[in-house]
Amino acid sequence: MMRAVWQRTVIAEAPQTVMVEGNHYFPPDSLRREFFEDSPTTSLCFWKGKARYLTLRVGDQVNPDAAWYYPHPSPLARRIKDHVAFWHGVTVQEAPEEAGNRSAL
């Protein structure tokens, strides 16, 4: 089980992620959507396509553009369609076996 943590809060948890270029991409249904907001930011990867970004909000703390995903990836990256990866201080770690509840750490 992999999980993404920011501000001592589990923001995503999944039994399996897709690894691409050293990043864990979490399935869309593994996100705790209450912590995510759409961002107008985009970027372009020469082989994956156009990325969209998400801003994290946990309590009063905001982490702009801390997550990204590819809504329409190139054929080479189709396995990460809509999967979300993290940076900017988000920790991705293996969850302890007794984890599985999505409570704060």
Side-chain angles (χ1 to χ4, degrees), residues 14-103:
Q16 188 172 356
T17 60
V18 178
M19 285 287 289
V20 175
E21 296 180 328
N23 294 303
H24 288 270
Y25 282 81
F26 285 75
D29 63 353
S30 70
L31 275 56
R32 295 184 64 190
R33 292 285 175 181
E34 66 267 27
F35 299 120
F36 293 81
E37 300 173 359
D38 289 329
S39 167
T41 303
T42 62
S43 65
L44 189 60
C45 173
F46 76 95
W47 77 271
K48 292 184 292 244
K50 184 178 181 180
R52 298 289 317 262
Y53 288 78
L54 298 164
T55 291
L56 296 175
R57 182 180 301 273
V58 174
D60 293 335
Q61 300 296 310
V62 178
N63 192 345
D65 301 336
W68 74 92
Y69 67 101
Y70 294 88
H72 305 288
S74 72
L76 290 173
R78 66 184 173 273
R79 66 190 184 127
I80 60 168
K81 179 180 178 17
D82 293 328
H83 284 52
V84 177
F86 300 96
W87 64 345
H88 289 188
V90 176
T91 302
V92 174
Q93 61 195 34
E94 201 162 333
E97 284 199 29
E98 68 276 2
N101 64 25
R102 294 179 166 183
S103 61

